[in-house]
Amino acid sequence: MQTFTAGRSFRNERQINDAERKKIELVFHQCDVGKKSYLSREDLKIAVVMLFGYKPSKSETNILMGNGTIKDCPGVPLEQFVPLMARKMSAEDPYEKTRQIFTAFDVHCRGFLKLDDFKSAFERVAPRLPERTVLEAFRFREVQRLRRGACLMSQRSSSMGRTSLESN
């Protein structure tokens, strides 16, 4: 599905799966203080924090409340909340969390990771993790990177009509 986003560019939106839909419903029920069958403005803010990891601005909250409320209901009911959050979740960049994790590991802002970066990151977040496990994770990452590089090299070589060995 392709949609136009905020006057900038077209973006392909993915469909959310059943697990994500259930997570949205679970968050609704956890945030529905007093079991009123709708989320108030404050409940909605907490739900966004639980689902997306940030507190929505006042204007975003106004937009969500405006799009989610129905006549004769002072808040956002479940049947409006699920599609509202599903649209928001499907428009989310699937690689954003990966970028954030990479940035946290890349403390020297080099654009690549060394074994020392890996070790220091794991020492901070999991100090009891055996060094062997960290080394295996780093080696796995290196193998994946090399496979992608080899794949790209073979694609480039085949597109030029010869193998990389023939060019030497």
Side-chain angles (χ1 to χ4, degrees):
M1 167 196 260
Q2 212 176 44
T3 59
F4 192 68
T5 57
R8 292 187 183 159
S9 62
F10 284 96
R11 175 188 293 181
N12 289 325
E13 289 188 359
R14 65 177 179 82
Q15 296 295 318
I16 66 164
N17 59 36
D18 288 336
E20 291 169 322
R21 184 172 301 282
K22 286 178 184 173
K23 180 179 179 182
I24 293 170
E25 291 174 4
L26 177 67
V27 166
F28 178 89
H29 293 298
Q30 289 174 337
C31 293
D32 182 12
V33 178
K35 305 298 177 210
K36 348 177 249 310
S37 299
Y38 66 86
L39 297 183
S40 67
R41 184 179 189 80
E42 291 305 312
D43 297 339
L44 183 63
K45 288 181 190 178
I46 293 168
V48 171
V49 170
M50 290 175 70
L51 288 169
F52 302 102
Y54 73 93
K55 181 182 174 190
S57 67
K58 186 176 182 178
S59 62
E60 183 179 0
T61 305
N62 289 340
I63 291 168
L64 291 172
M65 290 297 290
N67 290 336
T69 54
I70 56 175
K71 191 175 181 179
D72 299 328
C73 184
V76 180
L78 178 62
E79 57 271 6
Q80 294 295 106
F81 179 75
V82 172
L84 191 64
M85 293 299 114
R87 276 194 312 271
K88 187 168 176 53
M89 195 175 278
S90 68
E92 210 178 28
D93 182 1
Y95 298 109
E96 182 60 29
K97 287 185 177 153
T98 304
R99 279 190 213 97
Q100 289 175 353
I101 293 167
F102 179 84
T103 303
F105 276 46
D106 187 19
V107 292
H108 300 291
C109 300
R110 292 183 288 232
F112 59 89
L113 300 176
K114 288 186 167 186
L115 179 58
D116 293 338
D117 298 328
F118 238 62
K119 284 181 179 179
S120 69
F122 277 100
E123 283 174 8
R124 283 181 279 155
V125 296
R128 294 191 180 106
L129 191 67
E131 185 176 353
R132 183 175 142 221
T133 306
V134 176
L135 291 172
E136 287 173 2
F138 186 79
R139 283 190 194 113
F140 178 77
R141 184 194 65 86
E142 281 299 301
V143 167
Q144 295 302 312
R145 185 185 64 79
L146 290 173
R147 283 185 182 156
R148 282 193 305 272
C151 179
L152 291 174
M153 180 57 98
S154 67
Q155 288 172 351
R156 186 167 33 157
S157 297
S158 65
S159 69
M160 293 175 10
R162 59 179 181 217
T163 65
S164 58
L165 292 175
E166 291 173 327
S167 63
N168 290 336

